[in-house]
Amino acid sequence: QPATMVRMSVLADALKTLNNAEKAGKRQVLIRPCSKVIVKYLQVMQKHGYIGEFEIVDDHRSGKVVIDLIGRINKCGVISPRFDLKLGQIEQWTSNLLPSRQFGYIVMTTSLGIMDHEEARRKSTGGKILGFFY
């Protein structure tokens, strides 16, 4: 019985894999297992042009996702625990986590779905923080 690492957070795992592949200069990366949260997170990154196309592979288990990298990600990571983020606190968090106000996004989960902090601000809603990328 070899000891196996327990996956604490699927999302954290996925973002770490993404980060490492990007650092190693890979063109594609395979992430497994895949969750709805991961897919939504990737959609936010894709919307801002940080990753290329991605496709979800259904293997009748928890699924995989194959992502095309375009070399734009400097860093992406997960914030755990998922702290509460009030509308007024978003500014504080962005200045803490992101390198500058010009670029980078904090991904948060709100009652209106998973979105970046700018969209949350436009819809004037708070939520919980999932992670960031820039």
Side-chain angles (χ1 to χ4, degrees):
Q1 187 87 2
T4 47
M5 276 294 293
V6 180
R7 272 217 176 80
M8 280 318 190
S9 152
V10 182
L11 181 66
D13 221 52
L15 293 184
K16 194 58 109 184
T17 313
L18 201 58
N19 223 356
N20 292 344
E22 187 75 86
K23 277 196 190 113
K26 299 271 194 289
R27 306 256 40 97
Q28 274 195 328
V29 57
L30 173 75
I31 286 176
R32 52 168 288 269
C34 165
S35 70
K36 284 191 289 196
V37 173
I38 290 177
V39 174
K40 287 272 192 270
Y41 200 101
L42 289 173
Q43 277 165 351
V44 174
M45 290 177 84
Q46 191 180 37
K47 192 176 84 188
H48 294 295
Y50 277 77
I51 56 176
E53 295 298 311
F54 62 89
E55 61 172 323
I56 297 152
V57 185
D58 180 26
D59 55 0
H60 296 299
R61 290 180 196 79
S62 50
K64 298 183 174 77
V65 57
V66 179
I67 306 163
D68 292 342
L69 299 176
I70 50 179
R72 278 233 22 223
I73 307 171
N74 296 315
K75 187 159 182 4
C76 59
V78 69
I79 302 292
S80 173
R82 295 179 176 175
F83 291 109
D84 286 338
L85 209 52
K86 292 199 189 75
L87 193 56
Q89 295 173 324
I90 293 179
E91 188 61 46
Q92 179 102 46
W93 275 91
T94 42
S95 61
N96 286 346
L97 285 173
L98 305 175
S100 87
R101 296 188 54 166
Q102 272 70 45
F103 67 101
Y105 296 94
I106 287 179
V107 183
M108 40 197 291
T109 167
T110 69
S111 46
L112 303 174
I114 293 177
M115 57 183 77
D116 58 80
H117 68 275
E118 289 179 1
E119 193 182 332
R121 204 181 264 144
R122 282 198 297 275
K123 294 182 172 165
S124 78
T125 176
K128 302 223 187 254
I129 185 164
L130 280 178
F132 60 91
F133 60 90
Y134 54 80

